[in-house]
Coordinates of all heavy atoms in Angstrom, one line a residue:
M189 N 0.8 -1.2 0.0 CA 0.0 0.0 0.0 C 0.9 1.3 0.0 O 0.6 2.2 0.7 CB -0.9 0.0 1.2 CG -2.1 -0.9 1.1 SD -3.6 -0.1 0.6 CE -4.2 0.5 2.1
S190 N 2.0 1.2 -0.7 CA 2.8 2.4 -0.8 C 2.3 3.3 -2.0 O 2.0 2.8 -3.0 CB 4.3 2.1 -0.9 OG 4.5 1.5 -2.2
Q191 N 2.3 4.6 -1.7 CA 1.8 5.5 -2.8 C 2.9 6.5 -3.0 O 3.1 7.4 -2.2 CB 0.6 6.2 -2.4 CG -0.7 5.3 -2.8 CD -1.9 6.0 -2.4 OE1 -2.0 6.6 -1.4 NE2 -2.9 6.0 -3.3
P192 N 3.6 6.4 -4.1 CA 4.7 7.3 -4.4 C 4.1 8.7 -4.7 O 4.8 9.7 -4.3 CB 5.4 6.8 -5.7 CG 4.4 5.8 -6.3 CD 3.5 5.3 -5.2
F193 N 2.9 8.8 -5.2 CA 2.4 10.1 -5.5 C 1.1 10.4 -4.6 O 0.4 9.4 -4.3 CB 2.0 10.2 -6.9 CG 3.1 10.0 -7.9 CD1 3.2 8.9 -8.6 CD2 4.1 11.0 -8.0 CE1 4.2 8.7 -9.5 CE2 5.1 10.8 -8.9 CZ 5.2 9.6 -9.6
E194 N 1.0 11.6 -4.2 CA -0.3 11.9 -3.6 C -1.4 11.9 -4.6 O -1.2 12.4 -5.7 CB -0.2 13.4 -3.0 CG -1.1 13.6 -1.9 CD -1.1 15.1 -1.4 OE1 -0.1 15.7 -1.7 OE2 -2.0 15.5 -0.8
P195 N -2.5 11.2 -4.3 CA -3.6 11.1 -5.3 C -4.1 12.5 -5.6 O -4.1 13.4 -4.7 CB -4.6 10.3 -4.7 CG -4.3 10.3 -3.2 CD -2.8 10.6 -3.1
P196 N -4.5 12.8 -6.8 CA -5.1 14.1 -7.1 C -6.3 14.4 -6.2 O -7.1 13.5 -6.0 CB -5.6 14.0 -8.6 CG -5.1 12.7 -9.1 CD -4.6 11.9 -7.9
K197 N -6.3 15.6 -5.6 CA -7.3 15.9 -4.6 C -8.7 15.7 -5.2 O -9.6 15.2 -4.5 CB -7.1 17.4 -4.2 CG -5.9 17.6 -3.3 CD -6.1 17.1 -1.9 CE -4.9 17.5 -1.0 NZ -4.1 16.4 -0.6
T198 N -8.9 16.1 -6.4 CA -10.3 16.1 -7.0 C -10.7 14.6 -7.1 O -11.8 14.3 -6.7 CB -10.3 16.7 -8.3 OG1 -9.3 16.2 -9.1 CG2 -10.2 18.2 -8.2
G199 N -9.8 13.7 -7.5 CA -10.2 12.3 -7.7 C -10.5 11.7 -6.3 O -11.5 11.0 -6.2
L200 N -9.7 12.0 -5.3 CA -9.9 11.5 -4.0 C -11.2 12.0 -3.4 O -12.0 11.3 -2.8 CB -8.8 11.9 -3.1 CG -8.9 11.5 -1.6 CD1 -9.1 10.0 -1.4 CD2 -7.7 12.0 -0.8
F201 N -11.4 13.3 -3.7 CA -12.7 13.9 -3.2 C -13.9 13.1 -3.8 O -14.8 12.8 -3.0 CB -12.8 15.4 -3.6 CG -14.0 16.0 -3.2 CD1 -14.1 16.6 -1.9 CD2 -15.1 16.1 -4.0 CE1 -15.3 17.2 -1.5 CE2 -16.3 16.7 -3.6 CZ -16.4 17.2 -2.3
E202 N -13.9 12.9 -5.1 CA -15.0 12.2 -5.7 C -15.2 10.8 -5.2 O -16.3 10.3 -5.0 CB -14.8 12.2 -7.2 CG -15.4 13.4 -7.9 CD -15.0 13.5 -9.3 OE1 -14.8 12.5 -10.0 OE2 -14.9 14.7 -9.8
T203 N -14.0 10.1 -5.0 CA -14.1 8.7 -4.5 C -14.8 8.7 -3.1 O -15.7 7.9 -2.9 CB -12.7 8.2 -4.3 OG1 -12.1 8.2 -5.6 CG2 -12.7 6.7 -3.8
L204 N -14.4 9.6 -2.2 CA -14.9 9.7 -0.9 C -16.4 10.1 -1.0 O -17.3 9.6 -0.3 CB -14.1 10.6 0.0 CG -12.7 10.1 0.4 CD1 -11.9 11.2 1.1 CD2 -12.8 8.8 1.2
W205 N -16.6 11.1 -1.8 CA -18.0 11.7 -1.9 C -19.0 10.6 -2.4 O -20.0 10.4 -1.8 CB -18.0 12.8 -3.0 CG -19.3 13.4 -3.2 CD1 -20.2 13.1 -4.1 CD2 -19.9 14.5 -2.4 NE1 -21.4 13.9 -4.0 CE2 -21.1 14.8 -3.0 CE3 -19.4 15.3 -1.4 CZ2 -22.0 15.8 -2.5 CZ3 -20.2 16.4 -0.9 CH2 -21.5 16.6 -1.4
N206 N -18.5 9.8 -3.4 CA -19.4 8.7 -3.8 C -19.6 7.6 -2.8 O -20.7 7.1 -2.6 CB -18.9 8.1 -5.1 CG -19.0 9.1 -6.3 OD1 -19.8 10.0 -6.3 ND2 -18.1 9.0 -7.2
A207 N -18.5 7.3 -2.1 CA -18.6 6.3 -1.1 C -19.5 6.7 0.1 O -20.2 5.8 0.7 CB -17.2 6.0 -0.5
Q208 N -19.6 7.9 0.4 CA -20.4 8.4 1.5 C -21.7 9.0 1.0 O -22.5 9.5 1.8 CB -19.7 9.5 2.2 CG -18.4 9.1 2.9 CD -17.6 10.2 3.6 OE1 -16.4 10.2 3.7 NE2 -18.4 11.2 4.1
S209 N -22.0 8.8 -0.3 CA -23.2 9.4 -0.9 C -23.5 10.8 -0.6 O -24.6 11.3 -0.4 CB -24.5 8.6 -0.4 OG -24.2 7.2 -0.6
G210 N -22.4 11.6 -0.5 CA -22.5 13.0 -0.2 C -22.9 13.4 1.2 O -23.3 14.5 1.5
Q211 N -22.8 12.4 2.1 CA -23.2 12.6 3.5 C -22.0 12.8 4.4 O -21.0 12.1 4.2 CB -24.1 11.5 4.0 CG -25.5 11.5 3.3 CD -26.3 10.3 3.6 OE1 -25.7 9.2 3.8 NE2 -27.6 10.4 3.6
C212 N -22.2 13.6 5.4 CA -21.1 13.9 6.3 C -20.8 12.6 7.1 O -21.7 12.0 7.6 CB -21.6 15.0 7.3 SG -20.5 15.4 8.6
A213 N -19.5 12.3 7.3 CA -19.1 11.1 8.0 C -19.4 11.3 9.5 O -19.4 10.3 10.2 CB -17.7 10.8 7.7
L214 N -19.5 12.5 10.0 CA -19.6 12.7 11.4 C -21.1 12.9 11.9 O -21.5 12.3 12.9 CB -18.8 14.0 11.8 CG -17.3 13.8 11.5 CD1 -16.6 15.1 12.0 CD2 -16.7 12.6 12.2
C215 N -21.9 13.6 11.1 CA -23.3 13.8 11.6 C -24.3 13.1 10.7 O -25.5 13.0 11.0 CB -23.6 15.3 11.7 SG -23.9 16.1 10.1
G216 N -23.9 12.6 9.5 CA -24.8 11.9 8.6 C -25.7 12.7 7.8 O -26.5 12.2 7.0
E217 N -25.6 14.0 7.9 CA -26.4 14.9 7.1 C -25.8 15.2 5.7 O -24.6 15.1 5.6 CB -26.6 16.3 7.8 CG -27.3 16.2 9.1 CD -28.8 15.9 8.9 OE1 -29.4 16.4 8.0 OE2 -29.3 15.1 9.8
P218 N -26.6 15.4 4.7 CA -26.0 15.7 3.4 C -25.2 17.0 3.4 O -25.5 17.9 4.1 CB -27.2 15.8 2.5 CG -28.4 16.0 3.3 CD -28.1 15.4 4.7
M219 N -24.1 16.9 2.6 CA -23.3 18.1 2.4 C -23.5 18.7 1.0 O -23.8 18.0 0.1 CB -21.8 17.7 2.5 CG -21.4 17.1 3.9 SD -19.7 16.6 3.9 CE -19.7 15.1 2.9
P220 N -23.4 20.1 1.0 CA -23.5 20.7 -0.4 C -22.3 20.3 -1.3 O -21.2 20.3 -0.8 CB -23.5 22.2 0.0 CG -22.8 22.3 1.3 CD -23.1 21.0 2.0
A221 N -22.6 20.0 -2.5 CA -21.6 19.5 -3.4 C -20.7 20.7 -3.9 O -19.6 20.5 -4.3 CB -22.2 18.8 -4.6
S222 N -21.3 21.9 -3.9 CA -20.5 23.0 -4.4 C -21.1 24.3 -3.7 O -22.2 24.3 -3.1 CB -20.6 23.2 -5.9 OG -21.8 23.8 -6.3
R223 N -20.3 25.4 -3.9 CA -20.7 26.6 -3.3 C -22.1 27.0 -3.9 O -22.9 27.7 -3.2 CB -19.7 27.7 -3.7 CG -20.1 29.1 -3.7 CD -20.3 29.6 -2.3 NE -20.9 31.0 -2.3 CZ -22.2 31.3 -2.3 NH1 -23.1 30.3 -2.3 NH2 -22.6 32.5 -2.3
F224 N -22.4 26.6 -5.1 CA -23.7 27.0 -5.7 C -24.9 26.2 -5.3 O -26.0 26.4 -5.6 CB -23.5 27.0 -7.2 CG -22.4 27.8 -7.7 CD1 -21.2 27.2 -8.0 CD2 -22.4 29.2 -7.7 CE1 -20.1 28.0 -8.4 CE2 -21.3 30.0 -8.0 CZ -20.1 29.4 -8.4
A225 N -24.6 25.2 -4.4 CA -25.7 24.4 -3.9 C -26.3 25.0 -2.7 O -27.3 24.6 -2.2 CB -25.2 23.0 -3.5
V226 N -25.7 26.1 -2.1 CA -26.2 26.7 -1.0 C -26.5 28.2 -1.3 O -25.9 28.8 -2.2 CB -25.2 26.6 0.2 CG1 -25.1 25.2 0.7 CG2 -23.9 27.2 -0.1
A227 N -27.3 28.8 -0.4 CA -27.8 30.2 -0.7 C -26.7 31.2 -0.5 O -26.7 32.3 -1.1 CB -29.0 30.5 0.1
H228 N -25.8 31.0 0.5 CA -25.0 32.1 0.9 C -23.6 31.5 1.2 O -23.4 30.4 1.7 CB -25.5 32.7 2.1 CG -25.0 34.1 2.4 ND1 -23.9 34.4 3.1 CD2 -25.4 35.3 1.9 CE1 -23.6 35.7 3.1 NE2 -24.6 36.3 2.4
A229 N -22.6 32.4 1.0 CA -21.2 32.0 1.2 C -20.9 31.6 2.7 O -20.1 30.7 3.0 CB -20.2 33.1 0.8
S230 N -21.7 32.2 3.6 CA -21.5 31.9 5.0 C -22.0 30.5 5.3 O -21.4 29.8 6.2 CB -22.2 32.9 5.9 OG -23.6 32.8 5.7
V231 N -23.0 30.0 4.6 CA -23.5 28.7 4.8 C -22.5 27.7 4.2 O -22.2 26.7 4.8 CB -24.9 28.5 4.1 CG1 -25.4 27.1 4.2 CG2 -25.9 29.5 4.6
W232 N -22.0 28.0 3.1 CA -21.0 27.2 2.4 C -19.7 27.0 3.3 O -19.2 25.9 3.5 CB -20.5 27.9 1.1 CG -19.4 27.2 0.4 CD1 -18.1 27.8 0.2 CD2 -19.3 25.9 -0.1 NE1 -17.3 26.9 -0.4 CE2 -18.0 25.7 -0.6 CE3 -20.2 24.8 -0.2 CZ2 -17.6 24.5 -1.2 CZ3 -19.8 23.6 -0.8 CH2 -18.5 23.5 -1.3
K233 N -19.4 28.1 4.0 CA -18.2 28.1 4.8 C -18.3 27.1 6.0 O -17.4 26.4 6.3 CB -18.0 29.5 5.5 CG -16.6 30.0 5.3 CD -16.5 31.4 5.9 CE -15.1 31.9 6.1 NZ -15.1 33.3 6.6
K234 N -19.5 27.0 6.5 CA -19.8 26.0 7.6 C -20.1 24.6 7.1 O -19.7 23.7 7.8 CB -21.1 26.5 8.4 CG -20.8 27.6 9.4 CD -22.0 27.8 10.2 CE -22.1 29.3 10.7 NZ -23.4 29.6 11.2
Q235 N -20.7 24.5 6.0 CA -21.2 23.2 5.6 C -20.4 22.6 4.5 O -20.7 21.4 4.1 CB -22.7 23.3 5.1 CG -23.6 23.8 6.2 CD -25.0 23.6 5.9 OE1 -25.4 23.3 4.8 NE2 -25.9 23.8 6.9
R236 N -19.4 23.3 4.0 CA -18.7 22.7 2.9 C -18.0 21.4 3.3 O -17.6 21.3 4.5 CB -17.7 23.7 2.3 CG -16.5 23.9 3.2 CD -15.7 25.1 2.8 NE -14.8 25.5 3.9 CZ -13.6 25.0 4.1 NH1 -13.1 24.1 3.2 NH2 -12.9 25.4 5.1
P237 N -17.9 20.4 2.4 CA -17.2 19.2 2.7 C -15.7 19.4 2.9 O -15.1 20.1 2.1 CB -17.5 18.3 1.5 CG -18.0 19.2 0.4 CD -18.5 20.4 1.0
T238 N -15.2 18.9 3.9 CA -13.7 19.0 4.2 C -13.2 17.6 4.4 O -13.9 16.7 4.8 CB -13.4 19.8 5.4 OG1 -14.1 19.3 6.5 CG2 -13.9 21.2 5.2
F239 N -11.9 17.4 4.2 CA -11.2 16.1 4.5 C -11.0 16.0 6.0 O -10.4 16.9 6.6 CB -9.9 16.0 3.8 CG -10.0 15.8 2.3 CD1 -9.7 16.9 1.4 CD2 -10.4 14.6 1.8 CE1 -9.8 16.7 0.0 CE2 -10.5 14.4 0.4 CZ -10.2 15.4 -0.5
D240 N -11.5 14.9 6.5 CA -11.3 14.7 7.9 C -10.4 13.4 8.1 O -10.6 12.4 7.4 CB -12.6 14.4 8.6 CG -12.5 14.1 10.1 OD1 -11.7 14.7 10.8 OD2 -13.2 13.1 10.5
H241 N -9.4 13.5 9.0 CA -8.6 12.3 9.3 C -9.3 11.5 10.3 O -9.6 11.9 11.4 CB -7.2 12.8 9.8 CG -6.3 13.4 8.8 ND1 -6.4 14.7 8.3 CD2 -5.3 12.8 8.1 CE1 -5.5 14.9 7.4 NE2 -4.8 13.8 7.2
I242 N -9.5 10.2 9.9 CA -10.2 9.3 10.8 C -9.3 9.1 12.1 O -9.7 9.2 13.2 CB -10.4 7.9 10.1 CG1 -11.4 8.2 8.9 CG2 -11.0 6.9 11.1 CD1 -11.5 7.0 8.0
I243 N -8.0 8.8 11.8 CA -7.0 8.8 12.9 C -6.3 10.2 12.8 O -5.7 10.5 11.7 CB -6.0 7.7 12.8 CG1 -6.7 6.3 12.8 CG2 -4.9 7.8 13.9 CD1 -5.7 5.2 12.4
P244 N -6.5 11.0 13.8 CA -5.9 12.4 13.6 C -4.5 12.4 13.3 O -3.7 11.5 13.8 CB -6.2 13.0 15.0 CG -7.1 12.1 15.7 CD -7.0 10.8 15.1
R245 N -4.0 13.4 12.5 CA -2.6 13.5 12.2 C -1.8 13.6 13.5 O -0.7 13.1 13.5 CB -2.4 14.7 11.3 CG -2.0 14.2 9.9 CD -1.5 15.3 9.0 NE -2.6 16.3 8.8 CZ -2.6 17.1 7.7 NH1 -1.7 17.0 6.8 NH2 -3.6 17.9 7.6
A246 N -2.4 14.3 14.4 CA -1.7 14.5 15.7 C -1.4 13.1 16.4 O -0.4 13.0 17.1 CB -2.5 15.3 16.6
A247 N -2.2 12.1 16.1 CA -2.0 10.8 16.7 C -1.3 9.9 15.7 O -1.3 8.6 15.9 CB -3.4 10.2 17.0
G248 N -0.7 10.4 14.7 CA 0.1 9.6 13.7 C -0.7 9.1 12.6 O -0.2 8.2 11.8
G249 N -1.9 9.6 12.4 CA -2.7 9.1 11.2 C -2.1 9.6 9.9 O -1.7 10.7 9.8
P250 N -2.1 8.7 8.9 CA -1.5 9.1 7.6 C -2.4 9.9 6.8 O -3.6 9.9 7.0 CB -1.2 7.7 7.0 CG -2.2 6.8 7.6 CD -2.5 7.3 9.0
D251 N -1.8 10.5 5.7 CA -2.6 11.2 4.7 C -3.1 10.3 3.6 O -3.0 10.7 2.4 CB -1.7 12.3 4.1 CG -1.9 13.6 4.9 OD1 -3.0 13.9 5.4 OD2 -0.9 14.4 4.9
T252 N -3.5 9.2 3.9 CA -3.9 8.2 2.8 C -5.4 8.2 2.7 O -6.1 8.5 3.7 CB -3.4 6.8 3.1 OG1 -3.9 6.4 4.4 CG2 -1.9 6.8 3.1
P253 N -6.0 7.8 1.5 CA -7.4 7.8 1.4 C -8.1 6.9 2.4 O -9.2 7.2 2.9 CB -7.6 7.2 0.0 CG -6.3 7.5 -0.8 CD -5.2 7.5 0.3
A254 N -7.4 5.8 2.9 CA -8.0 4.9 3.8 C -8.2 5.6 5.2 O -9.0 5.2 6.0 CB -7.2 3.7 4.0
N255 N -7.5 6.7 5.4 CA -7.6 7.4 6.7 C -8.3 8.7 6.6 O -8.3 9.5 7.5 CB -6.2 7.6 7.3 CG -6.3 8.2 8.7 OD1 -7.1 7.7 9.5 ND2 -5.5 9.2 9.0
L256 N -9.0 8.9 5.4 CA -9.7 10.2 5.2 C -11.1 9.9 5.0 O -11.6 8.9 4.4 CB -9.1 10.9 3.9 CG -7.7 11.4 4.1 CD1 -7.1 11.9 2.8 CD2 -7.6 12.6 5.1
Q257 N -11.9 10.9 5.4 CA -13.4 10.8 5.1 C -13.8 12.3 4.9 O -13.0 13.2 5.3 CB -14.1 10.2 6.3 CG -13.9 10.9 7.6 CD -14.5 10.1 8.8 OE1 -15.0 9.0 8.6 NE2 -14.4 10.6 10.0
L258 N -15.0 12.5 4.4 CA -15.5 13.8 4.2 C -16.5 14.2 5.3 O -17.3 13.4 5.7 CB -16.2 14.0 2.9 CG -15.3 13.8 1.6 CD1 -16.1 13.8 0.4 CD2 -14.2 14.8 1.6
A259 N -16.3 15.4 5.8 CA -17.2 15.9 6.9 C -17.4 17.4 6.7 O -16.6 18.1 6.1 CB -16.6 15.6 8.3
H260 N -18.6 17.9 7.1 CA -18.9 19.3 7.1 C -17.7 20.0 7.8 O -17.1 19.5 8.8 CB -20.1 19.6 8.0 CG -21.4 19.2 7.4 ND1 -22.2 18.2 8.0 CD2 -22.1 19.6 6.2 CE1 -23.3 18.1 7.2 NE2 -23.2 18.8 6.2
A261 N -17.4 21.2 7.3 CA -16.3 22.0 7.9 C -16.6 22.2 9.4 O -15.7 22.1 10.3 CB -16.2 23.4 7.2
H262 N -17.9 22.5 9.8 CA -18.1 22.8 11.2 C -18.1 21.5 12.1 O -17.8 21.5 13.2 CB -19.4 23.6 11.4 CG -20.7 22.8 11.0 ND1 -21.6 22.4 11.9 CD2 -21.1 22.4 9.8 CE1 -22.6 21.8 11.3 NE2 -22.3 21.8 10.0
C263 N -18.5 20.3 11.4 CA -18.4 19.1 12.2 C -17.0 18.7 12.4 O -16.6 18.2 13.5 CB -19.1 18.0 11.4 SG -20.9 18.1 11.4
N264 N -16.1 18.9 11.4 CA -14.7 18.6 11.5 C -14.1 19.4 12.6 O -13.3 18.9 13.4 CB -14.1 19.0 10.1 CG -12.8 18.3 9.9 OD1 -12.2 17.8 10.8 ND2 -12.4 18.2 8.6
K265 N -14.5 20.7 12.7 CA -13.9 21.6 13.7 C -14.3 21.1 15.1 O -13.5 21.1 16.0 CB -14.4 23.0 13.4 CG -13.4 24.1 13.8 CD -14.1 25.4 13.6 CE -13.7 26.2 12.4 NZ -14.3 27.5 12.2
R266 N -15.6 20.8 15.2 CA -16.1 20.3 16.5 C -15.4 19.1 17.0 O -15.1 18.9 18.1 CB -17.6 20.1 16.3 CG -18.4 20.1 17.7 CD -19.8 19.8 17.5 NE -20.4 20.6 16.4 CZ -21.5 20.2 15.7 NH1 -22.0 19.0 15.9 NH2 -22.0 20.9 14.7
K267 N -15.2 18.1 16.0 CA -14.6 16.9 16.3 C -13.2 17.1 16.8 O -12.7 16.6 17.8 CB -14.5 16.0 15.1 CG -13.8 14.7 15.3 CD -13.6 13.9 14.0 CE -12.6 12.8 14.2 NZ -12.2 12.2 13.0
G268 N -12.5 18.0 16.1 CA -11.1 18.4 16.5 C -11.0 18.8 18.0 O -10.2 18.5 18.7
K269 N -12.0 19.6 18.3 CA -12.1 20.2 19.7 C -12.4 19.0 20.7 O -11.7 18.9 21.7 CB -13.2 21.2 19.8 CG -12.7 22.5 20.3 CD -13.9 23.5 20.4 CE -13.6 24.7 19.4 NZ -14.8 25.6 19.3
S270 N -13.4 18.2 20.4 CA -13.7 17.1 21.4 C -12.6 16.1 21.5 O -12.5 15.5 22.6 CB -15.0 16.5 20.9 OG -14.8 15.6 19.8
Q271 N -11.8 15.9 20.5 CA -10.7 14.9 20.6 C -9.6 15.4 21.5 O -8.8 14.6 22.0 CB -10.2 14.6 19.2 CG -11.1 13.5 18.6 CD -10.5 13.0 17.3 OE1 -9.6 13.6 16.7 NE2 -10.9 11.8 16.9
A272 N -9.5 16.7 21.6 CA -8.5 17.3 22.5 C -8.8 16.8 23.9 O -7.9 16.7 24.7 CB -8.5 18.8 22.4
G273 N -10.1 16.7 24.2 CA -10.4 16.3 25.6 C -10.8 14.9 25.7 O -9.9 14.0 25.6
S274 N -12.1 14.6 25.7 CA -12.5 13.2 25.8 C -12.8 12.6 24.5 O -13.0 13.3 23.5 CB -13.7 13.1 26.7 OG -14.7 13.9 26.2
V275 N -13.0 11.3 24.4 CA -13.3 10.6 23.2 C -14.8 10.8 22.9 O -15.6 10.5 23.8 CB -12.9 9.1 23.2 CG1 -13.3 8.4 21.9 CG2 -11.4 9.0 23.4
G276 N -15.2 11.2 21.8 CA -16.6 11.4 21.4 C -17.3 10.1 21.0 O -16.8 9.0 21.2
R277 N -18.4 10.3 20.2 CA -19.1 9.2 19.7 C -18.8 9.0 18.2 O -19.7 8.5 17.5 CB -20.6 9.4 19.9 CG -21.0 10.8 19.8 CD -22.3 11.1 19.2 NE -22.3 12.5 18.6 CZ -22.3 12.7 17.3 NH1 -22.3 11.7 16.5 NH2 -22.3 13.9 16.9
D278 N -17.7 9.5 17.7 CA -17.5 9.6 16.3 C -16.7 8.4 15.7 O -16.1 8.6 14.7 CB -17.0 10.9 15.9 CG -15.7 11.3 16.7 OD1 -14.7 10.8 16.5 OD2 -15.9 12.1 17.7
R279 N -16.5 7.3 16.4 CA -15.9 6.2 15.8 C -16.9 5.4 14.9 O -17.9 5.0 15.4 CB -15.4 5.2 16.9 CG -14.3 5.7 17.7 CD -12.9 5.5 17.1 NE -12.0 6.5 17.5 CZ -10.8 6.4 17.7 NH1 -10.2 5.2 17.5 NH2 -10.0 7.4 18.1
T280 N -16.6 5.4 13.7 CA -17.5 4.7 12.8 C -16.9 3.4 12.2 O -15.8 3.3 12.1 CB -18.0 5.6 11.7 OG1 -16.9 6.1 11.0 CG2 -18.9 6.7 12.2
Ligands
ZN597 ZN1 -21.7 17.1 9.5

């Protein structure tokens, strides 16, 4: 499973997007596919899909597709916070 090249971001995004049916890995709600799927830039900022490390990079998690999932920007942020303290309910 060695990867000499980082996979193209767009291809990886699509792979994860399709695997998750466009749903957030953390809260299960659908994510907007593009800025134009939402009414306002501020909504996009909170709800846009972001790459989330299943095993956090801080804990030695790699930057590989197997360790990445897509989550709302705000869910990703919230998870980062909760992991600093206690373990949440986000093991899937
Ligand atoms: Zn979410």
Side-chain angles (χ1 to χ4, degrees):
M189 283 265 272
S190 66
Q191 271 180 322
F193 301 107
E194 202 183 341
K197 289 284 189 249
T198 50
L200 176 58
F201 179 86
E202 269 168 31
T203 302
L204 292 174
W205 180 270
N206 291 333
Q208 295 177 211
S209 309
Q211 290 171 330
C212 174
L214 299 179
C215 75
E217 295 292 321
M219 295 179 288
S222 79
R223 161 69 186 90
F224 305 102
V226 293
H228 200 272
S230 65
V231 178
W232 172 245
K233 229 178 169 178
K234 279 189 210 163
Q235 300 195 349
R236 72 192 165 87
T238 57
F239 288 108
D240 176 45
H241 286 78
I242 297 168
I243 302 168
R245 251 191 294 205
D251 265 332
T252 56
N255 190 43
L256 291 170
Q257 59 188 4
L258 295 174
H260 290 117
H262 67 113
C263 289
N264 203 341
K265 214 187 257 178
R266 200 183 311 154
K267 179 190 164 188
K269 235 180 243 171
S270 73
Q271 276 187 342
S274 58
V275 177
R277 36 146 202 108
D278 50 77
R279 292 272 150 148
T280 52

